Amino acid sequence: MATEFHNLHDLRQGTSLATKVFIQRDYSDGTICKFQTKFPSELESRIERALFEDTVKTLNSFYCEAEKIGGQSYLEGCLACATAYIIFLCMETQYEKVLKKISTYIQEQNEKIYGPRGLLITDPIERGMRVIEISVYEDRGSSGSSSSRSSSAASSTR
Amino acid sequence: MKSREYKQIEPRALPASAPPAPAAGKEQAQGGRARRKWEVFPGNNRFYCDGRVMVARETGALPVTLGLVLVTSGCFFIFDCPFLVQHLTGCIPVIGGVLFAFVLASLLRTSFTDPGILPRATPEEAADIEKQIDNPGSSSSSSYRPPPRTKEVVINQQVVKLKYCFTCKIFRPPRTSHCSLCDNCVERFDHHCPWVGNCVGKRNYRFFYCFIVSLSFLTAFIFGCVSAHLALRSKDGKGLIFAVQESPASAVELVICFFSVWSILGLSGFHTYLVASNRTTNEDIKGSWSGKSGAEETGNPYSYNNVFKNCCAVLCGPMPPSLIDRRGFLPTEDAPLSTAVEIVEMPASKNDVNMCTQGTKDLLESPSVSPILSASCPQAKPQMVSSAPPDSVPAATSSQGGRGHRSSPPDKRRPRRSRKRSASHNPAYIAPGSGLPPPLPTQATSSRRSSRKEPRRSSFTSLQ
């Protein structure tokens, strides 16, 4: 069933959105951007735990790199202060560069791993960096409506 | 109405179609033009230059601040500099010019930058959080009004309570606070400053700090130079009266600078202390991290316990991006409509949810206007903000969008807005919306990126 979808567009055409799973932020290290690696029960039948955890850990490491307070950010900050912050209008910050990398990574993950399993990760920046939203799709075939109803019943009794 | 506000929202219980859905879809289709997200922003902000510039709805005393800075500096350059260059040194207007440029640039950056606004939760997110809160494990009471919801996290061996924001429908991250004037949750909320007409938060704190420090230097510099000017003129027994008669503008500048320098220097000193201890005005005034065991440094879990490191983290840390994506385009309605979709994502429903109960909004706004202009900068605002209880306001006051927008003619949008408002009067009930299938996030991402980086990053769209 899942192998029928060659790309995300096909996925969208032939399926219906069953539910959305939200991975919340993990604030145990302060206000830095970090997501919980706890495996949600709704995805148990859809994807291997290791793959999911690997994705979230990679995203966490990207955000950690973006928010790292080190030599480059100091240089950026001091240069910006010296130019009365006008330089921010012309220059792309370290954070923005890493956000582009994250966007590319999520797209790759969707195409290679999550799309074939009927899942779709939304870039956290689209949700204000609050959550990683994973949309779960069900096949819209003859058994589609019944399977999504049963999966929704299963997830509501969690 | 009240009993429905906190009802658990079951997206799967929604009817497949409803009267508002085709109406909302038709309205957007009739619009034709792709709309940007700032046009439907639910907070109390105004946008200019097609979303590039944003200010709080109540500009407060920003014109006064600008006027004072421009008039005083203008008088200084016109009336005092020529005399001082002649009698002292030519460096004076250069130093004055540099300081003036810093003050103006940082003031405009502080006022027009997104302070770190958190976008409101999508309906699905809100429903997911509601589900978690109403679990049997939680201790919500069965009274007619549920208690304020909190979640506890441990940060750096310190227990921090995260409060639930009833307006934005999220659990606020640590150090985030909801500004009642702007009606937004702002990250690392410091205070709402009427003198700059905007909140001061994570993204514009460094600009604000630069503004007050450079302003205190400029004020002190002008004060010193004008005093020297008047002293030089009144030399040789001519007297101060004679000097003032010869250059009356200098007397005006002297008075303005004398009265401002104390308050601005004081404010700079206070914020230097905050920066060195990695606190916000909000936390300092609420006494979040002090008075617990006498050891203030260990009380604050965000402090690095090193003055230099704290300063670097606050002022020279990485510049986080704006989360509200004001120049991104709203999802278009050209995606194929699908009646077989069981759960519909509703990008248009955000408009429905947000554009309701304008009456309560008006009620909230009117008492909040008067304290703004009478209160001085840091003292009044945090108290007003922290005491403004978002949870006492029913969820129905999630604000109406598009009210503060100036760039587009409001008349064109008003008839559409009133239709939407009548269709959905209860924000807790998720309208079925336009029945549109969810937009492709990849398309949305690239539209967001390409719209944001239009002039210089066109190659990024090729990532699609």
Side-chain angles (χ1 to χ4, degrees), chain B residues 76-204:
Chain B
F76 173 71
F77 288 122
I78 295 168
F79 298 107
D80 298 280
C81 280
F83 182 89
L84 290 168
V85 164
Q86 211 177 11
H87 289 82
L88 283 178
T89 168
C91 291
I92 288 176
V94 174
I95 298 171
V98 168
L99 285 173
F100 174 71
F102 262 83
V103 166
L104 209 58
S106 46
L107 171 63
L108 295 177
R109 281 293 270 184
T110 311
S111 302
F112 299 151
T113 302
D114 168 16
I117 294 172
L118 276 178
R120 297 185 186 192
T122 56
E124 293 87 9
E125 262 182 79
D128 190 64
I129 293 176
E130 293 259 348
K131 249 193 295 187
Q132 288 171 22
I133 290 168
D134 291 341
N135 264 346
S138 73
S139 56
S140 55
S141 67
S142 56
S143 60
Y144 62 92
R145 197 182 168 288
R149 299 159 177 176
T150 57
K151 205 159 70 165
E152 285 186 357
V153 291
V154 177
I155 300 174
N156 214 355
Q157 288 108 42
Q158 185 94 2
V159 174
V160 174
K161 270 196 176 151
L162 305 183
K163 279 189 177 169
Y164 182 75
C165 181
F166 284 81
T167 309
C168 304
K169 301 214 170 43
I170 54 169
F171 274 100
R172 282 184 219 130
R175 312 190 97 175
T176 302
S177 198
H178 190 95
C179 177
S180 56
L181 293 165
C182 303
D183 202 26
N184 294 311
C185 272
V186 177
E187 285 190 291
R188 204 186 181 276
F189 180 80
D190 195 84
H191 66 285
H192 181 100
C193 184
W195 299 101
V196 303
N198 199 5
C199 285
V200 177
K202 183 159 123 177
R203 294 188 75 245
N204 64 351

Side-chain angles (χ1 to χ4, degrees), chain A residues 12 17-18 20 22 27-28 73-74 81-82 85 88-89 95 99-100 120 125-126 128-130 145 148 152, chain B residues 12 102 109 119-121 124-125 128 155 173-174 207 312 316 321 323 342-343 345 438-439 441 445 448-449 457:
Chain A
R12 197 56 73 111
L17 179 66
K20 290 190 179 189
F22 296 99
Y27 294 115
S28 54
S73 72
Y74 288 158
C81 185
Y85 299 106
F88 278 146
L89 300 168
Y95 212 115
L99 284 178
K100 282 191 186 167
L120 192 72
I125 196 85
E126 309 283 334
M129 309 265 263
R130 289 186 306 266
S145 53
S148 64
S152 67
Chain B
R12 281 174 284 284
F102 262 83
R109 281 293 270 184
R120 297 185 186 192
E124 293 87 9
E125 262 182 79
D128 190 64
I155 300 174
F207 308 140
C312 288
C316 296
L323 298 174
E342 291 192 31
I343 312 301
E345 168 128 14
T445 309
R448 172 204 158 92
R449 295 284 182 253
R457 304 272 178 239

Side-chain angles (χ1 to χ4, degrees), chain B residues 255-274:
Chain B
V255 167
I256 293 173
C257 290
F258 180 77
F259 287 111
S260 346
V261 75
W262 304 113
S263 49
I264 294 169
L265 266 177
L267 193 61
S268 304
F270 173 65
H271 277 278
T272 307
Y273 154 72
L274 290 181

Side-chain angles (χ1 to χ4, degrees), chain A residues 8-9 12-13 15-22 24-25 27-31 36 42 66-70 73-78 81-86 88-96 99-100 103-104 107 110-111 120-123 125-131 133 135 137 140 144-146 148-149 152-153 155-156 158, chain B residues 10 12 37 101-102 105-106 109 118-122 124-125 128-129 131-132 135 151 153-156 162 170-175 187 202 206-207 210 302 304 308-309 312-313 315-323 325 336 338 340-345 437-445 448-449 452-453 456-457 460 463-464:
Chain A
L8 296 170
H9 186 69
R12 197 56 73 111
Q13 292 294 330
T15 58
S16 65
L17 179 66
T19 185
K20 290 190 179 189
V21 180
F22 296 99
Q24 301 287 340
R25 284 270 294 269
Y27 294 115
S28 54
D29 284 339
T31 51
Q36 292 176 359
E42 292 95 335
E67 296 182 1
K68 195 172 64 153
I69 303 172
S73 72
Y74 288 158
L75 196 64
E76 221 172 61
C78 292
C81 185
T83 59
Y85 299 106
I86 293 169
F88 278 146
L89 300 168
C90 323
M91 195 178 79
E92 193 183 42
T93 63
Q94 178 194 352
Y95 212 115
E96 285 171 344
L99 284 178
K100 282 191 186 167
S103 176
T104 317
Q107 212 157 1
N110 275 332
E111 280 168 8
L120 192 72
I121 303 181
T122 305
D123 196 334
I125 196 85
E126 309 283 334
R127 298 288 175 261
M129 309 265 263
R130 289 186 306 266
V131 288
E133 184 183 291
S135 309
Y137 290 92
R140 210 190 288 160
S145 53
S146 57
S148 64
R149 250 184 254 124
S152 67
S155 57
S156 61
R158 125 184 101 85
Chain B
E10 277 285 314
R12 281 174 284 284
K37 289 180 187 173
F102 262 83
S106 46
R109 281 293 270 184
L118 276 178
R120 297 185 186 192
T122 56
E124 293 87 9
E125 262 182 79
D128 190 64
I129 293 176
K131 249 193 295 187
Q132 288 171 22
N135 264 346
K151 205 159 70 165
V153 291
V154 177
I155 300 174
N156 214 355
L162 305 183
I170 54 169
F171 274 100
R172 282 184 219 130
R175 312 190 97 175
E187 285 190 291
K202 183 159 123 177
R206 63 192 74 193
F207 308 140
C210 179
Y302 313 108
Y304 294 94
F308 181 69
K309 210 165 175 196
C312 288
L315 301 174
C316 296
M319 184 66 187
S322 174
L323 298 174
D325 186 30
S338 165
V341 173
E342 291 192 31
I343 312 301
V344 291
E345 168 128 14
L440 281 171
T442 51
Q443 281 180 2
T445 309
R448 172 204 158 92
R449 295 284 182 253
R452 209 163 61 153
K453 306 286 182 191
R456 0 182 219 105
R457 304 272 178 239
F460 188 75
L463 275 171
Q464 193 182 3

Side-chain angles (χ1 to χ4, degrees), chain A residues 32-128:
Chain A
I32 61 161
C33 186
K34 193 176 163 193
F35 291 96
Q36 292 176 359
T37 48
K38 189 170 78 90
F39 189 61
S41 51
E42 292 95 335
L43 299 180
E44 255 165 37
S45 56
R46 305 301 296 252
I47 191 166
E48 295 82 14
R49 184 184 288 255
L51 284 172
F52 170 81
E53 281 180 4
D54 186 53
T55 307
V56 179
K57 281 184 182 156
T58 312
L59 284 175
N60 285 342
S61 70
F62 273 126
Y63 286 117
C64 186
E65 183 197 329
E67 296 182 1
K68 195 172 64 153
I69 303 172
Q72 194 180 351
S73 72
Y74 288 158
L75 196 64
E76 221 172 61
C78 292
L79 187 67
C81 185
T83 59
Y85 299 106
I86 293 169
I87 202 155
F88 278 146
L89 300 168
C90 323
M91 195 178 79
E92 193 183 42
T93 63
Q94 178 194 352
Y95 212 115
E96 285 171 344
K97 287 182 191 149
V98 177
L99 284 178
K100 282 191 186 167
K101 278 203 276 187
I102 290 170
S103 176
T104 317
Y105 174 75
I106 288 177
Q107 212 157 1
E108 267 174 37
Q109 291 283 295
N110 275 332
E111 280 168 8
K112 292 182 188 159
I113 299 174
Y114 290 82
R117 289 167 170 80
L119 301 171
L120 192 72
I121 303 181
T122 305
D123 196 334
I125 196 85
E126 309 283 334
R127 298 288 175 261

